[in-house]
Amino acid sequence: MSATPWAEAAGQHEERLIELMEPFYLLTGLLKSEAERLEESWMSPAEEARILADRQMNLPFIIQDIYNFWRAMRTPVTERRSEPKVGRNDLCPCGSGKKFKQCCGSPEKLN
């Protein structure tokens, strides 16, 4: 299957997302039509029916796995400062001698 915008959004985890989405490609017939287009062999009708029934029965678990995948992707990463945070009333680190809030921390310079 070719990359989708979802797969591109998954970045380095694209292969895992494609693996998770495979049951949907199977259930919608995309896998079969892609195999036919590429003239690849496809499973027997009995095997296809068995696998389709299995995927339909496990659909709630498949959806939960995809939800968990995206939930883990959006978990924010905590970044650590290499230096202590400058307080509004501390001297500005630029060396001007002004308070941070009146120098580099002023709303005009932060936006």
Side-chain angles (χ1 to χ4, degrees), residues 25-92:
Y25 299 141
L26 179 69
L27 290 168
T28 60
L30 288 173
L31 281 182
K32 185 174 184 177
S33 63
E34 184 76 2
E36 290 170 350
R37 185 182 71 78
L38 297 173
E39 297 179 0
E40 295 176 348
S41 62
W42 187 249
M43 59 189 91
S44 69
E47 185 180 0
E48 181 181 4
R50 183 186 58 77
I51 292 174
L52 284 171
D54 177 68
R55 297 309 185 270
Q56 288 171 348
M57 186 176 69
N58 289 307
L59 198 55
F61 304 109
I62 295 166
I63 292 170
Q64 183 67 50
D65 287 343
I66 293 170
Y67 172 79
N68 292 339
F69 172 85
W70 286 113
R71 186 173 179 196
M73 293 287 290
R74 72 172 190 231
T75 302
V77 177
T78 304
E79 293 185 27
R80 303 280 182 208
R81 290 186 175 86
S82 58
E83 299 175 13
K85 183 177 176 180
V86 178
R88 290 178 38 81
N89 291 313
D90 294 340
L91 291 178
C92 190

Side-chain angles (χ1 to χ4, degrees), residues 2-11 14 17-18 21 25 69-70 73:
S2 61
T4 63
W6 287 22
E8 291 172 13
E14 177 181 352
L17 179 61
I18 291 171
M21 294 297 294
Y25 299 141
F69 172 85
W70 286 113
M73 293 287 290

